[in-house]
Amino acid sequence: MPVNIYDIAKKAGLSVVTVSRVINNYPNVKKENRMKVLAAMKELDYKPNAAARSLAIGKTGMIGLILPTFGDFFLIQVMASVEKALKEAGMFLVVSTAVDNTDLAESNYIRLYREERVDGILILTPVKDSGYLLELKKRDIPYVLLDQYQFNMQAPSITVDNFDGGYQATSVLIKEGAQNIAHISGPDFFESSKERVRGFVAALSDNGIAVREEYLIKGDFTFGCGYYATKNWIDMGILPDAIFAADDNTAFGVLEAAKEFNIPVPQKLSIIGFDDHPFTSLLYPGISTVRQPAEDMGKYGVEMLMEIINQKNGRMNKIALRPSVILRGTTK
Amino acid sequence: MPVNIYDIAKKAGLSVVTVSRVINNYPNVKKENRMKVLAAMKELDYKPNAAARSLAIGKTGMIGLILPTFGDFFLIQVMASVEKALKEAGMFLVVSTAVDNTDLAESNYIRLYREERVDGILILTPVKDSGYLLELKKRDIPYVLLDQYQFNMQAPSITVDNFDGGYQATSVLIKEGAQNIAHISGPDFFESSKERVRGFVAALSDNGIAVREEYLIKGDFTFGCGYYATKNWIDMGILPDAIFAADDNTAFGVLEAAKEFNIPVPQKLSIIGFDDHPFTSLLYPGISTVRQPAEDMGKYGVEMLMEIINQKNGRMNKIALRPSVILRGTTK
DNA sequence: CTGAAAGCGCTTACAG
DNA sequence: CTGAAAGCGCTTACAG
């Protein structure tokens, strides 16, 4: 049985109130007594019990992060950044998965906030239905949306400007002189996928290039979709000059297909991906890509959530981060 | 302010003791009263407060997972499995990083158990010094070592039989008829690295093949070490017939170097990796590898930890899981 | 089968 | 600057 605040009080010859003041670093404690308490705490190797503290103050010092899967590089990067930011703030990270909107509303994970286990949540799982957010609001649960935002209501969020990312990526290909430019998109399920498509289309039309239906293929952020889309174009004899892949996994597949069919990259085919996956710089040629500021997303997400927690009236911010193009060997 | 147990008691016209009994599913409650309580709980949308419960029973329903980094595929796989197992048990996962032994003993994360925030911890960060484990023992903190074990003391652990993995991988290459077989190892920091080397050496010597110094290279589980070791052998004109790479990242580097120098794989060079990274099956040729049972590690780790938590006298188990060879295109 | 009372280990007005 | 008392929301003997 660990020592408690009464043990410290007794040892220091003071009351638990004073001990509590020292623990919480309140200024109104005589220096001499503070020393006594500190000494007692050290000698008895004391740490205050979190449950008791939570019960008394109504805060746990823990934050929940909800994500759809552990299998995505970008999501893991965000998680790493969140953990780092929380650690710096002396808080802890509870991780839970919820694959989709139904899961968000019904899975076991809701106990996280319903049982008041966390002070707030960071939501990386795509929220399709604002009803869920309204419930959080009703229950007064602080939250911040990550990598998504909500159209029909004010909801704090940190997003990446995916339109801009798509526009930038496509512009790189256009500036190279490519005329037949294709895009293999991500699933519509993610808002980010649609935004990248929009950026792609906008860049083309801003430059007077028509969007050809056969060059706008629906993918799913996998190696396979990149590989087969490319193989298909090759088989049909309509391989474009340049491909904007909606993520690096897709780009890996495109590159593999090109290698297999001896299409010189970037001479005959330029490729640009999205995410800056570690492998993009390792493969030969290195894959040009659009870097998402995952660290910033995690860091600002934690910051925003803290603000909301500490001053419930915090204005509902929306932050859109700018992605940046990284040029490697698959573009000219 | 959420409703509490007194609100439910009042609504149901019973005492909080009875409500508590219903919450905890105790049998000794009259059916009729149980119904009343359940109805009240439902109507008031009640969930018991976790902090209050923790304080009363001395358990939090949360488990800590400590890992050195989020940047490793295998570790993330284990984490995913731990999260799944905990979810099934109705418990929660707190994730914290500690890069090494010093960090384990000193970083902020110790507050996790010192402040009694978790019921036990799963340790994926390499513990070099048993002093740390002795401290956990002294404090009576339930823990299970993951992917490592301790020589000089009884400590519960789930490991992969890396000796066996190394032996199996090497045997595949030997059976192919390879004579010049190399190994690019992982860092000595990990016990698993050394075990794989031991397995490699044992398989060779069991088959009467000498271990050549230039074919036992120290790597670091990266693409780069695989690439450069291979390039080096090529440059020196001593490329082996077959390479056992200590992990798939290393194997990716080996394959890339082979492709770059037009070494036909597996005709002139066989490659086998370790981990069954998703990309092993995507690249061409697919990379043969040794699959680590990451899911089992997480699952059994949680199971073992639960046992220790629930019956403090739980015998200190050690489980070694068997890895399995997966043959793809980089071996004959 | 039920409930009054005490206890888990903190913090927070409040009084001095 | 200090501390007695009450309270946070549960559970657990104990008595009936």
Side-chain angles (χ1 to χ4, degrees):
Chain A
M1 205 71 326
V3 300
N4 64 26
I5 198 170
Y6 284 93
D7 299 323
I8 303 299
K10 182 186 274 184
K11 181 119 208 158
L14 291 157
S15 76
V16 295
V17 181
T18 302
V19 176
S20 175
R21 290 199 179 101
V22 173
I23 291 171
N24 292 290
N25 238 304
Y26 290 161
N28 53 339
V29 176
K30 204 202 285 181
K31 188 177 264 177
E32 187 194 325
N33 288 338
R34 183 183 300 275
M35 289 311 178
K36 280 187 194 165
V37 171
L38 255 16
M41 282 170 55
K42 183 151 200 174
E43 189 171 341
L44 265 42
D45 201 19
Y46 169 76
K47 290 278 179 191
N49 175 285
R53 187 151 206 280
S54 297
L55 182 57
I57 68 175
K59 280 191 183 163
T60 63
M62 311 191 106
I63 293 297
L65 174 69
I66 319 303
L67 32 70
T69 170
F70 290 105
D72 183 275
F73 169 70
F74 174 70
L75 300 181
I76 297 292
Q77 264 191 312
V78 174
M79 173 166 69
S81 165
V82 166
E83 197 270 339
K84 184 168 173 242
L86 287 177
K87 173 165 279 182
E88 281 164 11
M91 299 185 73
F92 293 96
L93 171 65
V94 187
V95 174
S96 193
T97 52
V99 296
D100 57 24
N101 204 65
T102 311
D103 225 21
L104 276 178
E106 294 170 11
S107 90
N108 186 54
Y109 115 87
I110 63 171
R111 286 179 42 217
L112 257 194
Y113 56 86
R114 294 295 314 278
E115 297 177 356
E116 300 166 79
R117 290 174 179 275
V118 293
D119 296 334
I121 54 180
L122 259 12
I123 308 173
L124 219 29
T125 295
V127 174
K128 276 185 291 192
D129 174 13
S130 59
Y132 169 69
L133 297 182
L134 289 172
E135 195 203 307
L136 291 182
K137 195 164 194 171
K138 192 189 88 192
R139 295 192 192 283
D140 211 24
I141 312 291
Y143 71 88
V144 170
L145 295 176
L146 258 31
D147 204 31
Q148 59 180 324
Y149 60 88
Q150 204 63 16
F151 306 97
N152 42 0
M153 66 180 280
Q154 276 292 82
S157 64
I158 315 276
T159 51
V160 167
D161 188 339
N162 283 291
F163 172 85
D164 180 65
Y167 196 99
Q168 284 193 66
T170 310
S171 298
V172 165
L173 305 176
I174 294 172
K175 283 201 192 95
E176 284 187 348
Q179 280 296 322
N180 298 309
I181 304 180
H183 177 49
I184 305 167
S185 76
D188 280 352
F189 185 66
F190 291 103
E191 211 46 50
S192 55
S193 302
K194 294 195 272 188
E195 291 290 296
R196 289 172 202 173
V197 172
R198 278 189 48 229
F200 168 75
V201 170
L204 289 189
S205 81
D206 283 358
N207 286 274
I209 303 177
V211 178
R212 290 170 55 177
E213 198 186 330
E214 64 272 32
Y215 286 163
L216 185 41
I217 301 291
K218 203 147 277 173
D220 57 0
F221 287 156
T222 61
F223 183 100
C225 78
Y227 178 86
Y228 288 108
T230 306
K231 185 171 179 324
N232 224 31
W233 282 319
I234 294 172
D235 288 347
M236 296 171 65
I238 56 166
L239 184 69
D241 310 329
I243 299 174
F244 164 36
D247 85 340
D248 287 334
N249 289 318
T250 305
F252 295 141
V254 173
L255 180 60
E256 190 65 31
K259 283 185 181 176
E260 199 172 319
F261 290 91
N262 290 311
I263 313 286
V265 174
Q267 293 79 1
K268 285 282 181 189
L269 175 68
S270 291
I271 308 169
I272 187 163
F274 216 103
D275 276 358
D276 195 28
H277 188 288
F279 276 31
T280 53
S281 63
L282 296 174
L283 294 178
Y284 185 80
I287 295 181
S288 298
T289 189
V290 179
R291 183 170 208 299
Q292 297 206 69
E295 294 79 16
D296 287 346
M297 179 172 288
K299 190 177 126 195
Y300 294 140
V302 169
E303 259 175 39
M304 189 181 287
L305 187 57
M306 299 295 209
E307 276 176 21
I308 296 172
I309 290 170
N310 294 328
Q311 36 168 72
K312 289 290 202 181
N313 53 342
R315 60 253 174 274
M316 301 285 101
N317 266 325
K318 296 196 182 206
I319 294 182
L321 302 169
R322 194 138 191 269
S324 51
V325 164
I326 295 183
L327 265 18
R328 296 202 177 90
T330 57
T331 49
K332 288 168 200 159
Chain B
M1 207 66 330
V3 301
N4 63 28
I5 198 170
Y6 285 93
D7 300 322
I8 303 300
K10 182 186 274 183
K11 182 119 208 157
L14 290 158
S15 76
V16 295
V17 180
T18 302
V19 176
S20 174
R21 288 198 181 101
V22 173
I23 291 171
N24 293 290
N25 239 302
Y26 291 162
N28 52 337
V29 176
K30 206 203 285 181
K31 190 178 261 175
E32 188 194 324
N33 289 338
R34 184 184 299 276
M35 290 309 179
K36 281 187 193 166
V37 171
L38 255 14
M41 282 170 54
K42 183 153 200 174
E43 190 172 339
L44 265 42
D45 201 20
Y46 168 76
K47 290 279 180 190
N49 176 284
R53 188 151 205 281
S54 298
L55 183 57
I57 69 175
K59 280 193 184 162
T60 63
M62 312 191 106
I63 292 297
L65 174 70
I66 319 303
L67 33 68
T69 169
F70 289 105
D72 183 275
F73 169 70
F74 173 71
L75 300 180
I76 298 291
Q77 264 191 313
V78 174
M79 174 166 69
S81 165
V82 166
E83 197 271 337
K84 184 168 173 242
L86 287 176
K87 172 166 278 181
E88 280 164 11
M91 300 186 71
F92 294 95
L93 171 64
V94 188
V95 174
S96 191
T97 52
V99 297
D100 57 23
N101 203 65
T102 312
D103 225 21
L104 276 178
E106 294 171 12
S107 89
N108 186 54
Y109 116 87
I110 63 171
R111 286 179 43 217
L112 256 193
Y113 57 85
R114 294 296 313 277
E115 297 177 357
E116 298 166 79
R117 290 176 178 275
V118 294
D119 296 334
I121 54 180
L122 259 11
I123 308 174
L124 218 29
T125 295
V127 173
K128 275 185 292 191
D129 175 13
S130 60
Y132 169 69
L133 298 182
L134 289 172
E135 196 203 305
L136 291 182
K137 196 163 193 172
K138 191 189 89 192
R139 296 192 191 284
D140 212 23
I141 312 291
Y143 71 89
V144 169
L145 295 176
L146 257 32
D147 204 31
Q148 59 180 325
Y149 59 87
Q150 204 63 14
F151 305 97
N152 41 0
M153 67 181 279
Q154 275 292 82
S157 63
I158 315 277
T159 50
V160 168
D161 188 339
N162 282 292
F163 172 86
D164 180 64
Y167 196 99
Q168 284 192 67
T170 310
S171 299
V172 166
L173 305 177
I174 294 171
K175 284 201 193 94
E176 284 187 349
Q179 281 296 323
N180 297 309
I181 304 180
H183 177 47
I184 305 169
S185 76
D188 280 353
F189 186 64
F190 291 103
E191 210 46 50
S192 54
S193 302
K194 293 195 272 188
E195 291 290 296
R196 289 173 203 173
V197 171
R198 278 189 48 228
F200 169 74
V201 170
L204 289 189
S205 81
D206 283 358
N207 285 275
I209 303 177
V211 179
R212 288 171 55 178
E213 197 187 330
E214 64 273 32
Y215 286 164
L216 185 41
I217 300 290
K218 202 147 279 176
D220 56 0
F221 287 156
T222 62
F223 184 100
C225 78
Y227 179 86
Y228 287 109
T230 307
K231 185 171 180 321
N232 224 33
W233 283 320
I234 294 173
D235 288 348
M236 295 171 67
I238 56 167
L239 185 69
D241 309 328
I243 299 175
F244 164 35
D247 87 340
D248 287 334
N249 289 318
T250 304
F252 295 142
V254 172
L255 180 60
E256 189 65 33
K259 284 186 181 176
E260 198 174 319
F261 289 90
N262 291 310
I263 312 288
V265 174
Q267 294 79 2
K268 284 283 181 188
L269 175 68
S270 292
I271 307 171
I272 188 163
F274 215 103
D275 275 359
D276 196 28
H277 188 289
F279 276 30
T280 53
S281 62
L282 297 173
L283 294 178
Y284 185 81
I287 295 181
S288 297
T289 189
V290 179
R291 182 167 210 298
Q292 298 206 66
E295 294 78 16
D296 287 346
M297 181 173 288
K299 190 177 126 197
Y300 294 140
V302 169
E303 259 176 39
M304 190 181 286
L305 187 58
M306 299 297 210
E307 277 177 19
I308 295 173
I309 290 170
N310 294 328
Q311 37 168 77
K312 289 291 204 182
N313 54 339
R315 59 250 175 276
M316 302 285 100
N317 265 325
K318 296 197 183 206
I319 295 182
L321 302 170
R322 193 136 192 270
S324 51
V325 163
I326 296 184
L327 265 17
R328 296 203 177 90
T330 57
T331 47
K332 288 168 201 161

